[in-house]
Amino acid sequence: MHSAVVLGVQATAARASKLERKYHALFVRLRDRRDDYLRFVSDPAVPFDNNSSERTIRMPKLRTKVSGSMRTTTGAEHFAAIRSYIATATRQGIDTLDALIQATTGNPWIPTPA
């Protein structure tokens, strides 16, 4: 992989077009941050992809696309707090509906400190 990245940096060094500039920037990042990009190979705790992060931000992004924006800052903060609570509960194996019912009845699920 290292050889391919070095060849990519050299091939796009002239950066004649906008696309070549993007490719060049990518090759430079891959070259300079190789250990960061391949950390999942040596550290089993690091996931192969960032799908869980993408899933976490998908709903707020979708809501913004559908309605145009969040109406108020307070509403956006409440939405983010609820989504964060649900995402954390789900990652801990707590059913979403159960977590919401517990929260609305005054007995919220609280994660145990690690």
Side-chain angles (χ1 to χ4, degrees), residues 1-2 5-6 9 24-37:
M1 179 183 146
H2 182 71
V5 170
V6 170
V9 169
H24 183 73
L26 173 63
F27 284 127
V28 168
R29 282 194 310 273
L30 286 170
R31 182 193 64 199
D32 295 347
R33 299 184 62 196
R34 181 176 185 270
D35 292 340
D36 293 335
Y37 280 100

Side-chain angles (χ1 to χ4, degrees), residues 6 16-17 19 27 30 39-40 42 73 75 81 86-87 94 96 109 112:
V6 170
S17 70
L19 188 58
F27 284 127
L30 286 170
R39 184 161 290 127
F40 71 93
S42 60
T73 303
I86 291 170
I94 307 298
T96 302
W109 168 80
T112 55

Side-chain angles (χ1 to χ4, degrees), residues 20-74:
E20 282 185 355
R21 286 191 292 272
K22 285 184 178 183
Y23 287 150
H24 183 73
L26 173 63
F27 284 127
V28 168
R29 282 194 310 273
L30 286 170
R31 182 193 64 199
D32 295 347
R33 299 184 62 196
R34 181 176 185 270
D35 292 340
D36 293 335
Y37 280 100
L38 296 176
R39 184 161 290 127
F40 71 93
V41 174
S42 60
D43 186 354
V46 175
F48 175 74
D49 58 20
N50 65 347
N51 283 346
S52 63
S53 300
E54 290 174 1
R55 265 186 248 115
T56 301
I57 65 169
R58 186 176 296 136
M59 181 56 85
K61 184 64 178 168
L62 178 65
R63 182 177 171 143
T64 302
K65 283 182 177 180
V66 169
S67 66
S69 67
M70 297 285 183
R71 298 281 182 218
T72 64
T73 303
T74 304

